[in-house]
Amino acid sequence: MSASPAPSLPAPPAPTSPFAPLRIPFFRMLWVASFVSNIGTWMQNVGAVGLMTQLTPSPVLVALLQTASALPVFLLSLPAGALADLVDRRRMLLLTQTWMAITALVLAALTLLGLTTPWLLLLLTFLLGLGGALNNPVWQTVTPELVPRPQLAQALALNSVSFNLARAFGPALGGLLIGYASAGAAFLLNGVSFLATMYMVWRWQRAPQATSELAGERILAAIRGGIRYARFAPPVQHILVRGVCFTFGASALLALMPAVVARQLHLPTSFYSLLLSCMGAGAVLGALVLPRLNRRLSIDWRVSLATATFGLGLLGLAYSASRPLLMGLLVLVGLAWMLVLNSFSVGVQTVVPRWVQARTISLYLLTIQGGMALGSVVWGAVATRWSLPAALTGAAVWLGLSLLLVVRFSLSTTENLPDPTPTRPRREPELAEEPDPDAGPVIITTTYRVRPENRPAFTYLIHQLSRIRRREGAIRVGLYADLADPTRLVEYFMVETWEEHEQQHLRGASPDEEDLKARARQFHQGPEPPAVAHLLAQPYLPTATPPVMVPGTTRLVANTAGEAVS
């Protein structure tokens, strides 16, 4: 009789202070470097707009600055996420930060020398956006590596504080610098700010990332794998659906607030800047109260209350002319914005394993950006066709209706999930010969012996397992019964190539996959474990000459040219 295991000590409670992650030295230094870089980015944005208005009176070229900055996100988010999952992330960060630093410094030099033209400014802005698009997914994966899982929500909230503080101070500092010096000085400081981040990443004592012992997944195949994972992972689906619906409605505030201030309230641009500052202050307040809200409210309640608050802010902006009331509402809107996006960000970073983390984050970022872009166009068109209050009211109604999504796309499925990191590598198959990595497709079968009365329960488990097979890379799944032997059931899944199956072995089995397979094996009968076989598709090789029939027999043999097989 084996001894019972000793009771395990309870885990120490997670730190509840909103500043707990700053006690981690490297996260603290990286946070400071990121804050400096964010200020440089906002100074760059102000300087670019100011310089473009000096270089040309064309409003189209001024508007194209935003396009040049945002277009790389749509073009490169998915490839950037795939690349970040395939290469060493520290090296990729150094590369992208170096790219952006060089681009900003080149723009600064050209501007200070008086050589910048409108089209050259657009080109360099686009190149800077390319670096940012490649950098964002891999940057998002750094925080989960540096911060313990229980402190991840606080860490992401602090990152939001960094962004909002930079948004509050960066444009003002940029305006002062441009006023006393020039736009070239703002570009120069932005380039220098990247050097601080580069230094911190260079100091990151991180073991080289072991991506794969194989040739590695190709970029397009990796993108398909990331999309496939999201498609068959319900927690990821729920976050993406809720995220795009929220940002579609919330985009009306940022898209229409300048017009409301100027055309409806007849107030100067400085009041618009003040409202943005109030929104940033609300985000900082949200970071401070986040740990307490996380303890008292579930994620569905947090997102629902924040969404309703945001909707009330839209209605206030549509119908109120009171400056104090609008400032108070924008503080609440900033708090709600931070709570919702923090909940989504924590969820998307904790429900996926490391091997597909950057790709999932890139899908999330693309979804958020897509919802913002589409919503801005739709609510702008509604405001043009009817009125600003009508558009803001429509957006508020949309957010109210989106609360019903909690019934079908509950976010509670993303909370308190076990760590999705594979628990152990899969057992290597026993092969008579090593296939070519590009050979395929490959079918992997597992043969079980299950009593007929246990078949319904067993089938249910295999159906749940098939979703995991699909998200892990299978292109076909199924369960077959032997008509000659009712107890013999064969589960199979197919992958495109042998290399893809080798990648599955290297990644290991996730905890939920191990759990389902262990429960399925409990229904297996017999002294031997379920038999696993690997079947590789064989290419059809047509012969130039048909085989020859041996006289007096039924045996086929190759012809004299040796072109057929007996």
Side-chain angles (χ1 to χ4, degrees):
M1 181 177 179
S2 61
S4 59
S8 59
L9 295 176
T16 57
S17 169
F19 304 105
L22 292 177
R23 298 171 188 164
I24 302 171
F26 192 79
F27 176 80
R28 180 173 62 249
M29 290 186 290
L30 201 62
W31 187 89
V32 173
S34 176
F35 175 64
V36 173
S37 182
N38 284 334
I39 287 183
T41 299
W42 284 105
M43 293 172 65
Q44 166 83 28
N45 294 339
V46 172
V49 173
L51 180 60
M52 183 64 83
T53 56
Q54 295 176 10
L55 294 174
T56 175
S58 171
V60 175
L61 289 177
V62 176
L64 282 178
L65 274 175
Q66 182 63 31
T67 303
S69 179
L71 184 59
V73 175
F74 292 95
L75 296 179
L76 292 183
S77 279
L78 293 181
L83 189 62
D85 280 329
L86 302 181
V87 302
D88 184 87
R89 292 173 181 173
R90 177 175 175 271
R91 293 180 180 178
M92 185 172 177
L93 279 174
L94 287 172
L95 179 63
T96 56
Q97 293 291 322
T98 302
W99 173 276
M100 290 188 288
I102 292 174
T103 304
L105 292 175
V106 168
L107 178 58
L110 292 174
T111 303
L112 292 173
L113 293 173
L115 301 177
T116 306
T117 65
W119 290 106
L120 187 58
L121 178 58
L122 285 174
L123 174 62
L124 290 172
T125 301
F126 178 76
L127 294 178
L128 197 59
L130 288 179
L134 289 171
N135 180 80
N136 287 340
V138 65
W139 185 263
Q140 295 280 344
T141 65
V142 171
T143 301
E145 286 195 44
L146 301 177
V147 177
R149 188 182 175 97
Q151 299 181 34
L152 186 57
Q154 291 100 307
L156 294 178
L158 287 171
N159 289 340
S160 176
V161 168
S162 169
F163 177 82
N164 283 283
L165 287 176
R167 181 170 62 179
F169 293 110
L173 292 176
L176 290 174
L177 185 61
I178 294 169
Y180 283 101
S182 66
F187 301 153
L188 180 62
L189 283 183
N190 183 42
V192 173
S193 72
F194 286 119
L195 299 180
T197 307
M198 290 168 57
Y199 174 72
M200 294 308 306
V201 174
W202 178 77
R203 285 193 56 192
W204 186 11
Q205 300 300 320
R206 179 181 185 270
Q209 182 177 344
T211 54
S212 175
E213 298 176 6
L214 304 174
E217 296 175 90
R218 296 165 180 84
I219 295 295
L220 291 178
I223 293 174
R224 291 200 305 270
I227 296 174
R228 182 170 54 232
Y229 189 98
R231 178 185 174 190
F232 292 101
V236 178
Q237 292 177 18
H238 293 188
I239 292 172
L240 296 182
V241 171
R242 297 287 293 274
V244 72
C245 289
F246 173 78
T247 54
F248 178 81
S251 64
L253 183 126
L254 294 177
L256 302 180
M257 190 163 63
V260 170
V261 171
R263 291 161 45 189
Q264 185 169 305
L265 301 178
H266 304 289
L267 294 173
T269 306
S270 58
F271 185 70
Y272 169 69
S273 300
L274 181 60
L275 291 181
L276 286 180
S277 298
C278 291
M279 192 173 176
V284 175
L285 177 62
L288 297 177
V289 302
L290 179 66
R292 183 173 299 178
L293 291 177
N294 286 347
R295 292 195 306 271
R296 298 188 176 184
L297 298 175
S298 69
I299 186 172
D300 278 323
W301 273 107
R302 293 198 305 271
V303 172
S304 297
L305 290 177
T307 301
T309 301
F310 206 105
L312 290 177
L314 289 173
L315 292 176
L317 188 64
Y319 298 106
S320 175
S322 170
R323 297 188 190 186
L325 178 60
L326 288 176
M327 292 168 61
L329 285 175
L330 263 294
V331 170
L332 292 178
V333 163
L335 188 151
W337 177 269
M338 200 285 301
L339 289 180
V340 173
L341 293 190
N342 179 268
S343 299
F344 293 157
S345 296
V346 172
V348 81
Q349 294 190 43
T350 55
V351 300
V352 296
R354 179 178 175 76
W355 64 270
V356 76
Q357 189 179 60
R359 277 170 280 184
T360 308
I361 290 173
S362 69
L363 277 172
Y364 166 72
L365 294 176
L366 187 61
T367 299
I368 294 298
Q369 290 287 341
M372 291 289 293
L374 182 61
S376 298
V377 172
V378 170
W379 303 123
V382 172
T384 302
R385 177 66 177 83
W386 286 282
S387 65
L388 287 169
L392 291 168
T393 302
V397 171
W398 171 273
L399 290 179
L401 293 175
S402 71
L403 296 176
L404 300 176
L405 292 172
V406 71
V407 178
R408 175 64 178 82
F409 298 97
S410 172
L411 297 175
S412 61
T413 57
T414 67
E415 274 196 318
N416 302 320
L417 289 177
D419 189 342
T421 303
T423 54
R424 62 175 180 82
R426 291 183 174 90
R427 185 174 59 183
E428 290 295 324
E430 297 180 2
L431 306 174
E433 58 179 304
E434 187 68 24
D436 184 88
D438 292 326
V442 181
I443 295 178
I444 298 89
T445 66
T446 306
T447 302
Y448 294 88
R449 295 285 180 176
V450 179
R451 292 176 180 173
E453 61 269 22
N454 293 332
R455 185 182 292 184
F458 177 81
T459 302
Y460 173 79
L461 292 175
I462 295 300
H463 175 72
Q464 299 301 312
L465 182 61
S466 67
R467 293 190 63 90
I468 298 177
R469 301 288 199 200
R470 295 293 295 268
R471 84 179 188 202
E472 299 286 333
I475 56 177
R476 291 184 184 178
V477 295
L479 178 66
Y480 285 82
D482 188 342
L483 296 180
D485 185 353
T487 66
R488 184 171 179 265
L489 299 176
V490 179
E491 182 247 343
Y492 87 94
F493 65 95
M494 177 188 292
V495 294
E496 292 180 345
T497 64
W498 179 253
E499 181 182 21
E500 173 65 23
H501 185 53
E502 283 286 88
Q503 291 282 356
Q504 293 176 332
H505 275 275
L506 292 173
R507 291 194 293 256
S510 60
D512 50 351
E513 178 184 349
E514 288 284 359
D515 176 66
L516 285 171
K517 290 197 293 188
R519 291 164 63 188
R521 282 193 293 268
Q522 293 178 353
F523 291 102
H524 177 72
Q525 303 295 315
E528 298 295 330
V532 179
H534 296 75
L535 310 177
L536 179 64
Q538 297 299 297
Y540 171 64
L541 300 176
T543 59
T545 307
V548 179
M549 179 73 70
V550 177
T553 71
T554 59
R555 187 165 63 93
L556 292 174
V557 299
N559 62 11
T560 55
E563 294 173 335
V565 180
S566 63

